[in-house]
Amino acid sequence: MELYQEMLAHILQNTTVNISFPELPCDIRTLTEQRCYQALQKIQAILKDERLDDTECFQKIEEIVCVFEDLGSGCGTRHDFG
């Protein structure tokens, strides 16, 4: 089965695929821009939180990383200091 998956992955990597969502209420670009704006609002709120002192700065950064992860975008392994 592994050979089959590798062969299929290779074929798909070299093949143009068109995907459509006919029932999607708006275009992908608009949806993505809306999600990006929401993420920026969350990041801004985290950074503006004056209740935290500088020793809690690491926690702020971790919260920002979580915002990206919630969007399905990782930040690599550099943030994982545990």
Side-chain angles (χ1 to χ4, degrees):
M1 188 60 135
E2 185 176 331
L3 176 60
Y4 180 83
Q5 290 173 337
E6 289 172 352
M7 290 170 53
L8 180 59
H10 179 73
I11 291 167
L12 293 176
Q13 287 174 351
N14 298 304
T15 303
T16 301
V17 178
N18 292 317
I19 300 173
S20 67
F21 299 95
E23 296 178 22
L24 196 61
C26 60
D27 67 288
I28 297 298
R29 182 177 178 162
T30 301
L31 288 174
T32 303
E33 287 174 359
Q34 288 172 350
R35 293 292 307 261
C36 288
Y37 183 73
Q38 291 169 355
L40 285 172
Q41 285 180 312
K42 288 179 182 180
I43 292 168
Q44 184 184 47
I46 292 165
L47 294 174
K48 282 185 169 184
D49 186 356
E50 295 293 333
R51 296 174 297 165
L52 303 176
D53 57 32
D54 287 340
T55 60
E56 296 172 300
C57 183
F58 176 82
Q59 189 62 26
K60 287 184 175 186
I61 295 168
E62 185 64 23
E63 288 179 53
I64 292 168
V65 169
C66 289
V67 170
F68 280 98
E69 289 174 344
D70 288 345
L71 290 171
S73 175
C75 292
T77 58
R78 291 194 58 168
H79 83 279
D80 190 11
F81 300 113

